Amino acid sequence: MDETVIVVMVADEKTGLPEKELTSFKLAEYTDLMVNVFAVSKGDDFELHVKLTTPDVSDWQFDAVYDYYDADIFIPEGVAVTEKDNCYNPTWEFAFMLTGDDERDEEKLKKIIRMHKEELDSVFEEINGKEGEYGGR
């Protein structure tokens, strides 16, 4: 499987625009679910933010995915999750503090992406056949 190198930029606090490169991570799985990744300065530390989405969904699936997605599974990982309902497909923003140990931080990011993919698989299985409940045809 090919690896993708993700460059993490620090976002300017006022404008949100990329300011400088902080680190990079090599990811091999599910990079198609990534919308973007950036870091925010928190004093001397940095918080990583990654937005993850779904494959394309139909109109009825949009709400169903949000209804069945369990963001609480990320609490034990020390990850804050926020729904971003102003996107084309269901999207969540995940945030956690970086440790400064690139290998450890990369593994945590990989774990979050893997957990997200597993949760999506579970959600799509659960909502299969529920079109009628969401006004789908």
Side-chain angles (χ1 to χ4, degrees), residues 12 17 52 77 81:
D12 179 88
L17 296 173
L52 300 174
E77 303 301 322
V81 182

Side-chain angles (χ1 to χ4, degrees), residues 48-115:
L48 187 74
H49 291 250
V50 59
K51 289 183 183 175
L52 300 174
T53 190
T54 67
D56 284 344
V57 298
S58 62
D59 289 344
W60 77 266
Q61 289 174 315
F62 189 91
D63 289 329
V65 168
Y66 277 129
D67 286 350
Y68 283 85
Y69 191 93
D70 182 10
D72 290 345
I73 65 171
F74 296 94
I75 292 172
E77 303 301 322
V79 177
V81 182
T82 307
E83 288 182 5
K84 299 293 182 182
D85 58 4
N86 59 344
C87 301
Y88 181 76
N89 284 317
T91 303
W92 298 262
E93 185 170 334
F94 300 79
F96 65 93
M97 295 303 294
L98 293 172
T99 66
D101 178 337
D102 286 348
E103 287 182 33
R104 198 162 120 196
D105 293 334
E106 182 177 292
E107 287 306 312
K108 184 165 186 171
L109 178 58
K110 288 177 181 179
K111 183 175 185 179
I112 290 166
I113 294 168
R114 192 170 44 256
M115 289 173 66

